[in-house]
Amino acid sequence: MKHFLSLNDIDSLPNLVEDAIALKKSPYQFDALGKNKTICLLFFNNSLRTRLSTQKAALHLGMQVLIMNFGKEGWTLEFGDGTVMNHSTSEHIKEAARVVSQYCDILAIRAFAGLQNKKTDEAEEVLRGFRKYASVPVVNMESSTAHPLQALADAITMEENKTKAKPKIVLSWAPHPKALPHAVANSFVSMIKMQHAEFVITHPKGYELNPEITHGCQIEYDQAKALEQADFVYVKNWSSYSNYGKVLHQDSNWMMTQEKLGKAKFMHCLPVRRNVVVEDAVLDGPQSLTTEQANNRTFSVQIVLKKILESL
Amino acid sequence: MKHFLSLNDIDSLPNLVEDAIALKKSPYQFDALGKNKTICLLFFNNSLRTRLSTQKAALHLGMQVLIMNFGKEGWTLEFGDGTVMNHSTSEHIKEAARVVSQYCDILAIRAFAGLQNKKTDEAEEVLRGFRKYASVPVVNMESSTAHPLQALADAITMEENKTKAKPKIVLSWAPHPKALPHAVANSFVSMIKMQHAEFVITHPKGYELNPEITHGCQIEYDQAKALEQADFVYVKNWSSYSNYGKVLHQDSNWMMTQEKLGKAKFMHCLPVRRNVVVEDAVLDGPQSLTTEQANNRTFSVQIVLKKILESL
Amino acid sequence: MKHFLSLNDIDSLPNLVEDAIALKKSPYQFDALGKNKTICLLFFNNSLRTRLSTQKAALHLGMQVLIMNFGKEGWTLEFGDGTVMNHSTSEHIKEAARVVSQYCDILAIRAFAGLQNKKTDEAEEVLRGFRKYASVPVVNMESSTAHPLQALADAITMEENKTKAKPKIVLSWAPHPKALPHAVANSFVSMIKMQHAEFVITHPKGYELNPEITHGCQIEYDQAKALEQADFVYVKNWSSYSNYGKVLHQDSNWMMTQEKLGKAKFMHCLPVRRNVVVEDAVLDGPQSLTTEQANNRTFSVQIVLKKILESL
């Protein structure tokens, strides 16, 4: 693997999931692989799971870790070509990417969608800027439109918990007081499309995801109908895509409850707002896989770093 | 040792102090103990000594260290049971604690008193929240009501510097422009009560500490009288406990001076406001143990981490 | 080497450059030297290159690294002698320096000029404060008046790229919208004065650097004339020294262009404002050495740390 920007950088998802599960059994077995190798984590946004799990994975592989909170500790970046930089930005992505590449062997980047401008967000200027100008492999720790490491952790979690060859998986929109990006939902959909599964997406009208991503997927506006006989229910809020970045409404009828869940396993990437997105009974009950999803974040990033280290 | 939330988690203070002093002579002697073990430090408040000494201690033991400035780099936590999280908090302590436990073997937490509400502070919701929901041992790096690692460092420092079997120790309140928590004073009192010592607490009326903690201690409102024949004088400001979190006055007559100190050793946990809490002559003179107290912070946390690692 | 506060702490610049170039060929060859040694990096200002390259260098030497963003994560420092600290500062440099020295073997500090008060900046109270009260070696990661690690990286870069024994080197002022410190220019001048080179400084009238530093240097107000036959052109903005910290004007005629550069190599310490300080064509062209300068930051600090470790 050269870079890991999206799930498209994976050769075979089932093989990668299998390798990650093997790694999880003995996390330090490849700790010689990262000796004298350094990963630099650049955060343009806050992070808890990603920050800790990526460090942990790198340490499992024997790597050294450098961390920058870019906005707070570094300089404001310019992305425009040919810009006369006499305003607020003080360093160009070209220099930043070339320079950071001097200090590490792998570069991992988190930069969320601004949700103000669809075109800007879809241009992924931070992630693609580093990809374009960096001289080392780049890993996506959640960008404007994708969170492939989360999707990979979710795939691992489903593989470990499925009880039939072709489970029914439902992605169910949930209400939320703030406008959230589409990255997690996008990557989840892309990941499921690589799986052997029955898949339904359910959300209120107006909350359709990018049709290029959901192309070929079953969309069901009746949540109850979508949830029938589900094996895994993945709950997530996202803002409107067509009315870009807007919270159209926060219909609390869409909150996930134990009753709606039935016998399905519950999944969410966290952080989650209790009793808004999902009720306490689900999160605190035995059907919730959220803690295990978080645990698998370590092994999703570790298998990706391992593949990249092997190709250096 | 399973957790280290307060001095009550110690079996025998004299034995622990003795072990810490032995460790100090050869800090890296147990560096195999922490191999492939990770400690995660969560800071809800600023820190200098605690941040650096805890890292140093973990590195002495061969551990890996992850650090989060929680408020600045992560998500705002919710502590209420059953709360409908449609306001400012974005992650519940239940998830945060369960998740962080996936990435480390020991969890260390700093969360100061807010000094707005005695009940909330005494509930210790951050520390106890993590203790309740984490699946790994929790270490207190200063909570609302206690700073046991500081008290342990103070005990080590007194053991190294005492010249008689039963020294006279005085805890003397000092003026300060800001309202400060009671954590350091509380833990100092609790620690001294485990020692063979003559102990006097002195402060102006109105600055009485929590009577449950000072129960059985001699309280003397006349500072001069309290300081007579003292061997160790521990100076510290704290805000009012009865009139919770208030600065009643900043009587500069209570500042510690070389003249008042006499032949006693001077102690303070730092940071200290010079010429407000204590005059320059004391801090810069040979009777000050403050630098050595800071040095012993490393060994107080190291001995605690060692005991926890041994019980994993 | 005991401390590294300025280039004056170097015995022989040519020898140090030669050693750094040898180190670069095999960066991990001295990784046993730093075993069980800790460096603490204290940042009073933002940093990208310095933060990452210093960590990388320390890791190359097998050291452990502690990092503090002082203002954001620690306490506000007091520098005055005898100050009654009943205002905003909460810890004195005396305590901070003595305490931090307990947790590390080398202390590295970044603290920029405030550019409000020449006397205060030239007093270098942060750097000199730590130097005075710390009990461990101190390294300057850019102070009010000097950035010797940058100058050393520049010397390494010129040594690697020079094609004649006595090259012509030009330091050329550039326009910039913000008032910038003199530290980089000062150290560059001091470094060149230790070299076998023809050296010209060019800038508009009013932008003269500290005459104590440029004493003996050729100053040419005509940029075109200064650039004739140059081998290396080092471009940098700085604010006025005589009218301290002021931006007198931002004459865009002083921007470096490919045409002006001719056949010379282009150098800049970064971050750089494109099309204000220098045009895109130069930075993106083959004559730019900026990425290599950034790379050499690692080896400049590594050779300094190595010398200090050897003298511990």
Side-chain angles (χ1 to χ4, degrees):
Chain A
M1 198 181 289
K2 289 259 334 162
H3 295 271
F4 185 72
L5 303 187
S6 79
L7 294 168
N8 293 328
D9 292 314
I10 297 176
D11 279 337
S12 155
L13 180 64
N15 289 357
L16 202 67
V17 166
E18 196 184 322
D19 290 352
I21 291 171
L23 206 57
K24 189 175 173 176
K25 285 179 188 134
S26 179
Y28 286 96
Q29 63 182 303
F30 299 104
D31 63 357
L33 194 62
K35 188 173 153 63
N36 293 349
K37 299 293 181 201
T38 303
I39 185 169
C40 181
L41 315 185
L42 298 187
F43 289 97
F44 290 81
N45 295 96
N46 280 11
S47 174
L48 169 62
R49 274 149 286 275
T50 296
R51 177 182 284 266
L52 297 178
S53 64
T54 309
Q55 286 182 74
K56 193 73 164 73
L59 295 172
H60 280 163
L61 290 165
M63 300 186 79
Q64 294 164 337
V65 183
L66 306 181
I67 301 179
M68 280 281 299
N69 293 320
F70 216 88
K72 293 168 197 164
E73 298 172 340
W75 311 104
T76 324
L77 289 188
E78 173 63 42
F79 297 94
D81 248 337
T83 309
V84 177
M85 290 170 60
N86 56 1
H87 292 293
S88 61
T89 55
S90 50
E91 176 139 49
H92 200 283
I93 179 72
K94 291 186 186 182
E95 272 71 54
R98 288 167 184 163
V99 160
V100 175
S101 301
Q102 305 303 312
Y103 309 132
C104 60
D105 301 285
I106 301 176
L107 190 50
I109 292 157
R110 161 165 282 207
F112 291 170
L115 294 179
Q116 301 301 312
N117 184 312
K118 187 189 285 191
K119 204 173 149 185
T120 309
D121 285 349
E122 298 199 334
E124 294 274 21
E125 52 184 18
V126 180
L127 185 70
R128 290 196 195 164
F130 276 100
R131 166 72 184 80
K132 186 168 179 185
Y133 299 110
S135 54
V136 298
V138 172
V139 172
N140 182 350
M141 296 196 297
E142 185 171 347
S143 67
S144 298
T145 67
H147 194 355
L149 287 172
Q150 178 66 52
L152 183 50
D154 297 336
I156 297 167
T157 309
M158 287 192 292
E159 181 62 26
E160 292 177 321
N161 287 279
K162 76 181 182 188
T163 54
K164 58 182 77 156
K166 192 183 176 185
K168 180 177 174 185
I169 299 165
V170 181
L171 171 61
S172 183
W173 180 90
H176 197 283
K178 291 176 68 179
L180 296 191
H182 310 91
V184 168
N186 287 347
S187 290
F188 186 77
V189 172
S190 302
M191 179 272 285
I192 296 297
K193 287 167 80 171
M194 298 174 171
Q195 301 270 25
H196 189 56
E198 185 189 341
F199 182 46
V200 185
I201 304 173
T202 184
H203 53 70
K205 289 198 177 173
Y207 278 110
E208 289 75 14
L209 291 163
N210 181 350
E212 287 182 33
I213 290 169
T214 58
H215 180 74
C217 294
Q218 185 188 342
I219 294 169
E220 171 58 63
Y221 295 111
D222 181 338
Q223 191 190 32
K225 204 167 158 195
L227 293 172
E228 278 170 14
Q229 306 292 329
D231 294 297
F232 294 97
V233 177
Y234 199 97
V235 174
K236 183 76 187 79
N237 168 269
W238 56 86
S239 56
S240 177
Y241 179 75
S242 53
N243 194 347
Y244 192 70
K246 292 289 174 290
V247 176
L248 306 180
H249 58 76
Q250 305 174 38
D251 186 348
S252 61
N253 289 320
W254 281 81
M255 180 175 82
M256 187 53 52
T257 62
Q258 185 61 46
E259 195 186 341
K260 287 184 195 176
L261 187 64
K263 292 180 175 172
K265 297 289 188 185
F266 172 81
M267 298 180 75
H268 189 284
C269 62
L270 307 181
V272 66
R273 288 177 177 245
R274 286 178 166 247
N275 305 310
V276 175
V277 168
V278 52
E279 67 174 5
D280 281 339
V282 174
L283 282 167
D284 296 329
Q287 289 160 255
S288 172
L289 299 177
T290 55
T291 303
E292 201 48 35
Q293 284 173 268
N295 185 26
N296 282 329
R297 292 294 307 277
T298 301
F299 306 101
S300 75
V301 65
Q302 191 176 339
I303 193 67
V304 165
L305 296 183
K306 176 172 178 282
K307 297 287 178 193
I308 293 176
L309 284 172
E310 286 167 347
S311 75
L312 282 184
Chain B
M1 199 182 286
K2 289 266 321 169
H3 295 272
F4 185 72
L5 303 187
S6 79
L7 294 168
N8 293 327
D9 292 312
I10 297 175
D11 279 338
S12 154
L13 180 64
N15 289 357
L16 201 67
V17 166
E18 195 183 324
D19 290 352
I21 291 172
L23 205 56
K24 189 175 174 177
K25 285 180 188 135
S26 179
Y28 287 96
Q29 64 182 304
F30 299 105
D31 63 358
L33 194 61
K35 187 173 154 63
N36 293 350
K37 299 293 181 201
T38 303
I39 186 168
C40 181
L41 316 185
L42 298 187
F43 289 97
F44 290 81
N45 295 95
N46 280 11
S47 173
L48 169 61
R49 275 150 286 273
T50 296
R51 178 182 283 266
L52 297 178
S53 64
T54 308
Q55 286 181 76
K56 194 72 164 72
L59 295 171
H60 280 164
L61 290 165
M63 300 186 80
Q64 295 164 336
V65 183
L66 307 181
I67 301 179
M68 282 281 298
N69 294 318
F70 216 87
K72 293 167 196 162
E73 298 172 339
W75 312 103
T76 323
L77 289 188
E78 172 64 41
F79 296 94
D81 248 336
T83 308
V84 176
M85 289 170 61
N86 56 1
H87 291 293
S88 62
T89 55
S90 51
E91 176 139 47
H92 200 281
I93 179 71
K94 290 185 185 183
E95 272 70 54
R98 288 167 185 163
V99 160
V100 176
S101 300
Q102 305 303 311
Y103 309 132
C104 61
D105 300 286
I106 300 176
L107 189 50
I109 292 156
R110 162 165 281 207
F112 290 172
L115 294 180
Q116 301 301 311
N117 183 313
K118 187 189 286 193
K119 205 173 149 183
T120 309
D121 285 349
E122 298 200 334
E124 295 275 20
E125 50 183 22
V126 180
L127 185 71
R128 290 196 195 165
F130 276 99
R131 165 71 184 82
K132 185 167 179 185
Y133 298 110
S135 54
V136 297
V138 172
V139 171
N140 182 350
M141 296 196 295
E142 185 170 347
S143 67
S144 298
T145 66
H147 196 353
L149 287 172
Q150 179 66 53
L152 182 52
D154 297 336
I156 297 167
T157 309
M158 287 192 290
E159 181 62 25
E160 291 176 323
N161 287 278
K162 75 181 184 189
T163 54
K164 58 181 74 154
K166 191 183 176 186
K168 179 176 176 186
I169 299 165
V170 181
L171 172 60
S172 183
W173 181 91
H176 197 282
K178 290 177 67 180
L180 295 190
H182 309 92
V184 169
N186 287 347
S187 290
F188 186 77
V189 172
S190 302
M191 179 270 286
I192 296 297
K193 287 166 82 172
M194 297 173 172
Q195 301 269 26
H196 189 57
E198 185 188 341
F199 183 46
V200 185
I201 304 172
T202 183
H203 53 70
K205 289 198 177 174
Y207 278 110
E208 289 74 14
L209 291 162
N210 180 349
E212 288 182 32
I213 290 170
T214 57
H215 180 74
C217 294
Q218 184 188 342
I219 294 168
E220 170 58 64
Y221 296 111
D222 180 340
Q223 191 190 32
K225 202 166 161 195
L227 293 172
E228 279 170 14
Q229 305 291 329
D231 294 295
F232 295 97
V233 177
Y234 200 96
V235 174
K236 183 78 187 76
N237 168 268
W238 56 85
S239 55
S240 176
Y241 179 76
S242 52
N243 195 346
Y244 192 69
K246 293 289 175 290
V247 176
L248 306 180
H249 59 77
Q250 305 174 40
D251 186 348
S252 62
N253 289 321
W254 281 81
M255 180 175 82
M256 187 54 51
T257 62
Q258 185 60 47
E259 195 187 339
K260 285 184 195 176
L261 188 64
K263 294 180 176 171
K265 297 289 188 183
F266 172 81
M267 299 180 76
H268 189 283
C269 62
L270 306 182
V272 66
R273 287 177 178 247
R274 286 177 166 248
N275 306 309
V276 174
V277 167
V278 51
E279 68 174 3
D280 281 340
V282 173
L283 281 167
D284 296 329
Q287 289 160 256
S288 172
L289 299 177
T290 55
T291 304
E292 201 49 34
Q293 284 173 269
N295 185 26
N296 282 329
R297 292 294 306 277
T298 301
F299 306 102
S300 75
V301 66
Q302 191 176 339
I303 194 67
V304 165
L305 297 182
K306 177 172 178 280
K307 297 288 178 193
I308 293 175
L309 284 171
E310 286 167 347
S311 75
L312 282 183
Chain C
M1 200 182 286
K2 289 263 326 166
H3 295 271
F4 185 72
L5 303 188
S6 80
L7 293 166
N8 292 329
D9 292 313
I10 297 175
D11 280 337
S12 154
L13 180 64
N15 290 356
L16 201 67
V17 166
E18 195 183 325
D19 290 352
I21 292 171
L23 205 57
K24 189 176 173 176
K25 286 179 187 136
S26 179
Y28 286 96
Q29 63 183 304
F30 299 105
D31 64 357
L33 194 61
K35 188 173 152 63
N36 293 348
K37 300 293 182 201
T38 303
I39 185 169
C40 181
L41 316 184
L42 299 187
F43 289 97
F44 290 82
N45 296 96
N46 279 12
S47 174
L48 169 62
R49 276 148 286 274
T50 296
R51 178 183 283 266
L52 296 178
S53 64
T54 308
Q55 285 182 74
K56 194 72 163 73
L59 295 171
H60 280 163
L61 290 165
M63 300 186 79
Q64 295 164 336
V65 183
L66 307 182
I67 301 179
M68 280 281 300
N69 293 318
F70 215 87
K72 293 167 195 163
E73 298 172 340
W75 312 103
T76 324
L77 289 188
E78 173 63 40
F79 297 94
D81 249 334
T83 309
V84 176
M85 290 171 61
N86 55 2
H87 292 292
S88 61
T89 55
S90 50
E91 176 139 48
H92 200 281
I93 178 73
K94 290 186 186 183
E95 271 71 53
R98 288 168 185 164
V99 160
V100 176
S101 301
Q102 305 303 312
Y103 309 132
C104 62
D105 300 285
I106 301 177
L107 190 50
I109 292 157
R110 163 165 279 207
F112 290 171
L115 294 179
Q116 301 302 313
N117 183 314
K118 187 189 285 191
K119 204 174 150 185
T120 309
D121 285 349
E122 298 199 333
E124 295 274 22
E125 51 184 21
V126 180
L127 185 70
R128 290 196 195 164
F130 276 100
R131 165 71 184 83
K132 186 167 179 184
Y133 298 110
S135 53
V136 297
V138 172
V139 171
N140 182 350
M141 297 195 295
E142 186 172 345
S143 68
S144 299
T145 66
H147 195 355
L149 287 172
Q150 179 66 52
L152 181 51
D154 297 337
I156 297 168
T157 309
M158 288 193 290
E159 181 63 25
E160 291 176 322
N161 287 279
K162 75 180 183 190
T163 54
K164 57 180 76 156
K166 191 183 176 185
K168 179 176 174 185
I169 300 164
V170 181
L171 172 61
S172 182
W173 180 92
H176 197 282
K178 290 176 68 179
L180 296 191
H182 309 92
V184 169
N186 287 348
S187 290
F188 186 78
V189 172
S190 302
M191 179 271 285
I192 297 297
K193 287 167 81 171
M194 297 174 172
Q195 302 268 25
H196 189 56
E198 186 189 342
F199 183 47
V200 185
I201 303 173
T202 184
H203 53 70
K205 289 198 176 174
Y207 278 109
E208 288 76 13
L209 291 162
N210 180 349
E212 287 183 32
I213 290 169
T214 59
H215 179 74
C217 295
Q218 185 188 342
I219 294 169
E220 171 58 64
Y221 296 110
D222 181 339
Q223 191 190 32
K225 202 167 161 195
L227 292 172
E228 279 169 15
Q229 306 291 329
D231 295 295
F232 294 97
V233 177
Y234 200 97
V235 175
K236 183 74 188 80
N237 168 268
W238 57 85
S239 55
S240 176
Y241 179 76
S242 52
N243 195 346
Y244 192 70
K246 293 289 175 290
V247 176
L248 306 179
H249 57 77
Q250 304 175 38
D251 187 347
S252 61
N253 289 321
W254 281 81
M255 180 174 80
M256 187 52 51
T257 63
Q258 184 61 46
E259 197 187 337
K260 287 185 195 174
L261 188 63
K263 295 180 176 171
K265 297 289 188 184
F266 171 81
M267 298 180 75
H268 190 285
C269 62
L270 308 181
V272 67
R273 287 177 178 247
R274 286 177 166 248
N275 306 310
V276 174
V277 167
V278 52
E279 67 174 4
D280 281 340
V282 173
L283 281 168
D284 295 329
Q287 288 160 254
S288 172
L289 299 177
T290 55
T291 304
E292 202 48 36
Q293 285 173 268
N295 186 26
N296 282 330
R297 291 295 307 276
T298 301
F299 306 102
S300 75
V301 65
Q302 191 175 339
I303 193 68
V304 165
L305 296 182
K306 177 172 177 282
K307 297 288 178 193
I308 292 176
L309 284 172
E310 286 168 347
S311 75
L312 281 184

